[in-house]
Amino acid sequence: MELSEGIAITEAILFAAGEPVSINRLAEAAGIDSETAVKLIGQLERKYNVSDSGLRVIRLENSYQITTRTEYAPFIKTALEIKRQTPLSQAALEVLAVIAYNQPVTKAYVEQVRGVDSNSVVNSLSERGLIEEAGRLDLPGRPVTYRTTAAFLRCFGLNEIGQLPPFPDEEGQMRLDSEYEENERQPEL
């Protein structure tokens, strides 16, 4: 397979999928190894960046997806007459934070942390595709656990869940990196 053909095959698979495709699935579909698939995606990314394309390739954990560039969203919305989705409520953002930082979690855990019934909020986030079922616990009643999705990562501009900002400590302060803390401990001269 020639390089240009490999790039074209990769581009076609990512475009047709319309959702994130794992590197293993992409490699299998293209008949290549995972390392080669990653290199082809890199070439595809460079192709889009050089040509000032309206498209881009994004990485979501171990998956890749072709998306439109965010700066063209207003034009796309106008062309497709997409109504602006309602923003997430404060309750929805709280539930997302609880799930994102502690996943996988049950509805009961979310409700315990928030102190209020969160059933409808969890269902709404699931319908929006921001969270999904992650399995069931081996406890009485076999409660469902939830985790964030690739759509969550995409909406919040993250490549992986590890890019979430650090969780504030008990005093509500963010922890600074160790290098900065060391500089702060040294007396001024």
Side-chain angles (χ1 to χ4, degrees), residues 122-137:
V122 169
N123 291 339
S124 172
L125 291 171
S126 183
E127 288 172 8
R128 287 183 177 216
L130 296 173
I131 62 172
E132 65 185 1
E133 288 187 15
R136 293 186 174 268
L137 293 180

Side-chain angles (χ1 to χ4, degrees), residues 6-136:
I7 293 170
I9 290 169
T10 302
E11 182 178 37
I13 292 169
L14 291 176
F15 178 80
E19 61 184 28
V21 177
S22 74
I23 196 67
N24 293 336
R25 191 169 131 209
L26 180 65
E28 183 181 333
I32 55 178
D33 60 80
S34 297
E35 188 176 309
T36 303
V38 170
K39 289 178 182 176
L40 291 174
I41 288 170
Q43 291 291 326
L44 188 58
E45 287 175 313
R46 284 187 280 288
K47 173 184 168 184
Y48 286 146
N49 288 336
V50 169
S51 67
D52 294 327
S53 174
L55 302 176
R56 66 185 182 137
V57 177
I58 61 170
R59 182 175 66 88
L60 303 165
E61 294 183 335
N62 293 326
S63 299
Y64 293 86
Q65 181 177 8
I66 291 180
T67 66
T68 56
R69 294 195 182 276
T70 54
E71 58 265 30
Y72 301 123
F75 304 105
I76 296 166
K77 287 179 181 179
T78 300
L80 301 177
E81 298 178 353
I82 297 174
K83 294 183 180 177
R84 184 173 178 244
Q85 290 192 2
T86 56
L88 294 174
S89 66
Q90 182 64 34
L93 291 172
E94 288 173 8
V95 169
L96 268 176
V98 170
I99 293 172
Y101 281 99
N102 300 288
Q103 59 188 314
V105 298
T106 63
K107 284 182 188 177
Y109 179 83
V110 172
E111 291 172 352
Q112 180 183 5
V113 171
R114 292 189 65 232
V116 295
D117 177 51
S118 301
N119 191 45
S120 63
V121 178
V122 169
N123 291 339
S124 172
L125 291 171
S126 183
E127 288 172 8
R128 287 183 177 216
L130 296 173
I131 62 172
E132 65 185 1
E133 288 187 15
R136 293 186 174 268

